[in-house]
Amino acid sequence: LVIPRGSYVSWDDFSERGSDEEIAGFVRAVGAVARAKGLVEPGYRLLANIGQHGGQEVPHLHVHLFGGKPLGPMLAR
């Protein structure tokens, strides 16, 4: 789980109100976590649930980082 500094509720909110430095820092933090966990080469998945239809249960922006094994397709076919 990677959470940006500040009180943002969604990607839309973050992309509109976040400073260039905050946005760049968040993207770099996601990359740093992936590298630290050894997930870059085998691959990983990022997931951000946004809004009711997206399954957001916690009203702040955060990204789930999944990896360490094959994850399969994103959606049922």
Side-chain angles (χ1 to χ4, degrees), residues 49-57:
N49 298 314
I50 298 166
Q52 184 179 10
H53 286 191
Q56 185 176 9
E57 296 177 1

Side-chain angles (χ1 to χ4, degrees), residues 1-2 30 33-47 63-72 74:
L1 190 66
V2 185
V30 170
V33 171
R35 285 188 299 279
K37 296 295 183 181
L39 299 174
V40 174
E41 179 57 35
Y44 58 94
R45 178 175 296 162
L46 296 176
L47 174 67
V63 175
H64 300 264
L65 195 151
F66 301 94
K69 63 180 182 178
L71 297 171
M74 284 288 294

Side-chain angles (χ1 to χ4, degrees), residues 6-53:
S7 56
Y8 301 101
V9 294
S10 67
W11 274 109
D12 179 62
D13 182 34
F14 186 52
S15 68
E16 183 160 323
R17 295 189 311 114
S19 68
D20 291 347
E21 293 80 18
E22 287 174 305
I23 293 168
F26 183 58
V27 171
R28 287 191 174 109
V30 170
V33 171
R35 285 188 299 279
K37 296 295 183 181
L39 299 174
V40 174
E41 179 57 35
Y44 58 94
R45 178 175 296 162
L46 296 176
L47 174 67
N49 298 314
I50 298 166
Q52 184 179 10
H53 286 191

